[in-house]
Amino acid sequence: MDVVEVVPTFEQYAFTFGGVAPLMRIRPGTALRVWSDDAFCGALQKPTDLSSEKVDLRFVNPQTGPFFVEGAEPGDTLALHLVAMEPARDWGASAAIPFFGGLTSTDRVATLQEPLPDTTWIYELDRARNTVTFAARHTDLEIALPVEPMLGTVGVAPPGGEVRSSLVPERFGGNMDTPQMRPGATCFLGVNVEGALFSVGDGHYRQGEGEACGTAVEGAMTTTLVVELIKGGAPLWPRIEDDTHWMTVGSSRPLEDAWRIGQVELVRWFGELYGLHPMDAYQLLSQITEVPIANVVDANYSTVVKARKSLLPRATAYGGLHDDLRRRAATLR
């Protein structure tokens, strides 16, 4: 398979899902290698760069796309197989942003409390060791951490002509911030508009579950992915399959509603995979699921509900598309 290279200019970034003309038209089966900027558009490059001074909140979470997938219609299923992710810079940035994050007052969790101090950390990348280094700002501690690349945002245009900020996770995908969106995973998204209009971005060189302070090790990323289209069968919420797990993502506030959405979607998917009655799927999944928190800081919170394949009879989703995409990915040049 040949790969289409896409390196957007700043003027070509999308900062919303929906409401943006397509950057490119592609056919199902296309392999893309796309460059995406970090969540700050490269504004934080050294520890003295502060988000309150350097980051323009109109231009955060830049998306590469949207891509118009020929033949995609509402009710279809878009499959995005993530083949590889390579840090595109030799550093990543993380920040404590005033009135943003999981352990501070915010605009939605309002208290009579001063904001936490505006602070930036720069993580230097060691390509030979495949690590990024945490360097404490207030002590001398340094720790080399493994690079575990992921995409914070993967999504399609919402239904009904909606335009949503690229900071928002919802049923169209978006800013889910889950470490499960990593190389080797296939993401299934319901198509809401003609062409699907999907985009990706918000590369993280690594992130803890929950993204507690509100930012990961944010970094520019080169992502290789294969795009496929399934006619019909649109899931209500994002689904992810990798070699070891079946996964669904729910996004809402409060956090327990995000959990409920993910649980219900996996019950529905197990009905398709195994022919299970909803009550039997509910019982089985109550005993086997893992539920990592993806984020507790965005406009909606996100949780992932996972079921380990090794505990279950073999099953295939969408005609075994994940396995097929894995084989195709191995032929990329």
Side-chain angles (χ1 to χ4, degrees), residues 38 42-45 89-93 122-125 205 218-220:
D38 69 50
L44 302 182
Q45 301 185 16
R89 290 195 182 111
D90 289 333
W91 49 267
I122 299 298
Y123 288 73
E124 299 295 339
L125 175 69
Y205 295 171
E218 310 283 344

Side-chain angles (χ1 to χ4, degrees), residues 61 150-154 174-178 181 201-204 207:
N61 265 18
M150 52 163 282
L151 292 180
T153 49
V154 176
N175 192 33
M176 296 175 282
D177 283 321
T178 170
M181 206 68 72
D202 189 24
H204 296 173
Q207 178 207 300

Side-chain angles (χ1 to χ4, degrees), residues 179-314:
Q180 309 300 324
M181 206 68 72
R182 58 196 176 193
T186 303
C187 178
F188 301 100
L189 297 166
V191 175
N192 302 305
V193 302
E194 184 182 3
L197 297 178
F198 80 88
S199 59
V200 300
D202 189 24
H204 296 173
Y205 295 171
R206 65 172 298 116
Q207 178 207 300
E209 293 174 356
E211 200 183 21
C213 79
T215 59
V217 181
E218 310 283 344
M221 194 77 78
T222 300
T223 301
T224 304
L225 67 155
V226 182
V227 182
E228 197 49 271
L229 180 68
I230 304 149
K231 298 303 291 182
L236 292 178
W237 289 84
R239 296 175 176 179
I240 304 171
E241 180 184 358
D242 64 16
D243 292 348
T244 61
H245 287 82
W246 306 107
M247 294 173 269
T248 53
V249 185
S251 299
S252 189
R253 285 200 185 199
L255 184 61
E256 56 263 34
D257 280 347
W259 173 85
R260 289 185 181 105
I261 290 166
Q263 294 281 352
V264 169
E265 187 63 18
L266 197 56
V267 165
R268 291 186 180 121
W269 202 5
F270 266 46
E272 299 170 22
L273 292 169
Y274 297 104
L276 282 174
H277 185 281
M279 289 301 294
D280 287 327
Y282 181 26
Q283 171 58 214
L284 173 63
L285 291 170
S286 294
Q287 313 311 328
I288 67 172
T289 52
E290 308 157 47
V291 189
I293 297 171
N295 92 81
V296 288
V297 294
D298 292 334
N300 286 322
Y301 301 153
S302 299
T303 65
V304 180
V305 182
K306 305 171 57 176
R308 200 180 316 154
K309 289 180 175 179
S310 63
L311 298 175
L312 300 159
R314 177 167 172 76

